[in-house]
Amino acid sequence: MTAKLETFVPAAAPVVVPSPAPAAAPANVVAQREVSQREEQARLARWKAIEEAGGQEAWVEAELKAKGLAPEHEDPSGLSEKEKNAWKEKKKAEAAERRALKRLAWEAWRTAHINHLGAGVHWEEAGGPDKFDLKDREERAKSNGLPELESAQTLAKALGLSVSRLRWFSYHREVDTGTHYRSWEIPKRDGGKRTITSPKKELKEAQRWVLANVVERLPVHGAAHGFVAGRSIVTNALAHKAADVVVKMDIKDFFPSVTWQRVKGLLRKGGLAESTATLLALMATEAPREVVQFRGKTLYVAKGPRALPQGAPTSPGITNALCLRLDKRLSALSRRLGFTYTRYADDMTFSWRRSRGKTEAPVAVLIARVEKVLEAEGFRVHPDKTRVMRPGNRQVVTGLVVNEAAKGQPAARVPREVVRQLRAALHNREKGKPGKEGETLDQLKGMAAFIHMTDPAKGRAFLERLNALEKREA
């Protein structure tokens, strides 16, 4: 995809939090899946035959005739008693077979169509334009480079799924007997815990297709640095190097604030049809759920609205596209007040430098106006995470120090304590001492790679030492 100049840049594939490797399915489960797939293919073939016959009624009549169940006499008054009894028996058999054929036709129709997506979800099988469509919807979709996805059938084909599988991934239930996600907690820097909700394999593959073919093609503002091609925590930090004042603000409940309805609105604004936007929005979101036991069954009960899960491939890209107007407004506000603005996911950073006639940064004004803009855009500032950092204190942006650098130091650099920690860990291991509890070579490699991002020479030296240790311990 060609980058849009200056203000807009294409979104990049996000760093996906790895989920635990799923265990191999038992043989009986695999066999059951194969049977289900064969049955689904049979229903799809039946629906194709129904369409070729001219509709369900025409197909039913043709099937009855082929089975010899269409009575020859509609008026039995001229028949003998024996013929009349035979006619009645044939009518009973015809009625029973007609009911069975209509049931098969309905099952075939349901396999090839969506029909319903759960309570609270508007769905019209026929689709078509409505009052919320953009006047130039097709042109907008084309300008964004979106594929033609005008129906559930074309979307399912593009995803490599059956229609019934697409419905299964998109269907919303307040109480469900299963889930398409795995959830676990990781520690946060402030001592709390963050819940990661990652889709299972098949849904994750479908979401990655959506990310590459739809989400990444939507416009993103130049102030966004998280999960954007050619940008990183380093480019985000460098925008604020050697500033006189750095203000950090955090968006509270960033992903949970983006409900499936907001995602649907974003996709429709991007040029997708209402039905396709509905399916993709539902497929990219999930309700936070509580696992409960009820009458011997495990149930997954929704605790809140369906929103972006932290751990899905599509979530960061969707928020970047959704925040286009927010980033525009905050960029314009920052320029008026003399600040530089960037955003990395839910972390917003504003920096200010002294200039002629401007000796004091309007920090209070900035914070008050940012809060208003966020509220207008459907977000909230985290009240405990606003920080004002001046040159006398260490200024850290996305984990990197950006105070004015000494000669020979990178403008954005890893904090000294991280370098010291890695150096000490390497020294101990090289001397044959065990690492700290829970410390692994992979973790140390991550620290070395982090240093390599801002200081390649130093990072490379650490990585070489780690490679030598790995060979020695193998």
Side-chain angles (χ1 to χ4, degrees), residues 48 69 75 80 114 130 132 143 182 184 224 261 310 325 334 340 354 368 403-404 411 415 419 430 444 455:
K48 185 177 180 181
L69 289 175
D75 182 7
S80 67
I114 295 294
D130 64 23
F132 297 108
S143 68
R182 294 183 179 89
W184 66 94
Q261 291 93 337
Q310 186 153 346
R325 190 171 67 178
S334 298
T340 296
R354 286 188 179 88
N403 296 74
E404 190 168 353
V419 179
E430 287 167 346
L444 298 181
D455 192 335

Side-chain angles (χ1 to χ4, degrees), residues 389-426:
M389 299 170 286
R390 301 183 186 276
N393 300 316
R394 189 169 67 172
Q395 298 170 331
V396 180
V397 177
T398 46
L400 300 174
V401 179
V402 296
N403 296 74
E404 190 168 353
K407 188 175 180 181
Q409 283 187 321
R413 52 209 176 273
V414 176
R416 282 195 296 266
E417 60 266 26
V418 176
V419 179
R420 290 192 191 114
Q421 182 184 347
L422 177 58
R423 187 178 288 121
L426 280 171

Side-chain angles (χ1 to χ4, degrees), residues 11 146 210-220 267 314 316-318 321:
L146 301 184
V210 176
L211 174 68
N213 294 278
V214 178
V215 176
E216 285 185 344
R217 302 186 183 193
L218 301 175
V220 174
L267 297 175
T314 42
I318 288 172

